[in-house]
Amino acid sequence: MKFLRYGPLGAERPGVLDAQGRIRDLSGVIDDLTGAALENLPAIDPDSLPLAAGDPRLGVPVAGVGKMVCIGLNYSDHAAEAGMPIPDEPIVFMKATSALIGPNDDVVLPRGSQKGDWEVELGIVIGKRAKYVSEAEALSHVAGYTIVNDVSERHFQIERGGQWTKGKSCDTFGPVGPWIVTPDEVADPQNLALSCDVNGQRRQTGSTASMIFPVAHIISYLSHMMSLNPGDIIATGTPPGVGSGQKPPQYLKAGDVMDLAIAGLGQQRQQVRAD
């Protein structure tokens, strides 16, 4: 199933997509798609639910995200374009939850931004608490998968000292969605095609088959360092083709449009504007 949240910012309602791609209202079944709800997602016939009116905005498909953990340089060809060695262990950084926005909301470049960049990534949504889990049991802790645009400001990230988090956590730098696709609809999370277009031109093309550290390894690895709780989101890294890897580099500017897609998980579109 495909679970989502829809409606105005701050007043989103839980929903589910029916077989015709229409939004059905879930608010009569659950209050919201919080971590607690993700632990026991309802088995429900979408056709039994009322249709949402109009063409509503889509919000972040999880309410009250506790943390967003990101994996860096998780595709060997992306590491090569960044001029960095393939890591021996996952590179881990955090993205502030205040960066989270809906899948089609505007991305706003912060004041002083010089090198805004795009990164299409497979997102993992945790549905059951994971602590010291093995790779064999890791996938049983997944509520579903989604798309993440790990928007980055490379000048902040790389040239201003400190940790990557500074270039990753600007407001609006975390579009998530359009929905959470439950594992039963994802035959193999390590065989999903990813793409990102900027202004109608293909920039990123890849497959999760090229991950250095696969989904199960990432969940197990992180769970030995921190508890992963229902509603937490993990962004698993990006394939090559980011702006900083173009020759010459190309960075986001006001008016640009990003279109992201992952096979079976839907699409995102964001317009870029300046703060």
Side-chain angles (χ1 to χ4, degrees):
M1 298 186 74
K2 296 178 176 69
F3 292 93
L4 54 91
R5 298 173 67 246
Y6 71 97
L9 180 65
E12 293 91 346
R13 300 164 66 94
V16 63
L17 215 62
D18 67 18
Q20 289 74 45
R22 299 173 298 183
I23 296 174
R24 299 280 184 161
D25 183 50
L26 259 179
S27 59
V29 180
I30 56 175
D31 291 333
D32 206 345
L33 281 165
T34 61
L38 292 174
E39 288 189 86
N40 292 289
L41 284 170
I44 194 163
D45 176 11
D47 292 340
S48 68
L49 302 172
L51 283 166
D55 183 22
R57 167 191 172 271
L58 296 178
V60 179
V62 188
V65 176
K67 58 181 173 289
M68 187 170 189
V69 189
C70 303
I71 307 299
L73 299 177
N74 196 27
Y75 289 71
S76 57
D77 36 11
H78 173 53
E81 76 171 352
M84 302 181 75
I86 294 175
D88 295 324
E89 296 192 31
I91 294 174
V92 179
F93 62 93
M94 308 295 281
K95 185 183 282 278
T97 55
S98 55
L100 297 177
I101 59 172
N104 304 315
D105 292 342
D106 288 351
V107 166
V108 182
L109 298 176
R111 297 176 186 177
S113 175
Q114 300 176 20
K115 298 180 178 180
D117 210 341
W118 54 85
E119 295 190 23
V120 60
E121 307 200 5
L122 173 66
I124 306 165
V125 182
I126 298 297
K128 183 173 69 174
R129 184 175 184 269
K131 181 72 171 175
Y132 300 123
V133 301
S134 67
E135 288 190 36
E137 61 184 339
L139 296 186
S140 69
H141 293 261
V142 175
Y145 301 95
T146 190
I147 304 173
V148 173
N149 188 355
D150 177 21
V151 184
S152 307
E153 213 302 328
R154 304 299 187 192
H155 176 61
F156 290 10
Q157 175 188 354
I158 298 169
E159 300 170 28
R160 296 187 62 180
Q163 298 182 340
W164 288 7
T165 300
K166 291 196 295 187
K168 299 286 189 172
S169 294
C170 306
D171 293 352
T172 76
F173 272 25
V176 178
W179 31 72
I180 302 168
V181 181
T182 52
D184 59 293
E185 291 195 13
V186 180
D188 182 1
Q190 300 307 147
N191 188 29
L192 300 174
L194 307 87
S195 67
C196 177
D197 296 353
V198 181
N199 299 328
Q201 296 187 359
R202 180 60 47 90
R203 295 303 183 193
Q204 289 185 275
T205 302
S207 169
T208 56
S210 298
M211 283 183 179
I212 299 167
F213 305 106
V215 169
H217 180 91
I218 290 168
I219 295 170
S220 175
Y221 182 88
L222 291 175
S223 79
H224 283 74
M225 298 177 176
M226 65 186 83
S227 295
L228 299 174
N229 297 313
D232 287 349
I233 298 173
I234 304 169
T236 59
T238 198
V242 298
S244 57
Q246 305 292 313
K247 299 187 185 304
Q250 299 180 24
Y251 296 112
L252 294 169
K253 61 186 183 302
D256 285 347
V257 176
M258 296 177 282
D259 288 285
L260 294 80
I262 299 182
L265 303 187
Q267 299 178 337
Q268 297 184 351
R269 166 173 279 203
Q270 299 100 34
Q271 182 161 343
V272 180
R273 57 185 177 88
D275 190 334

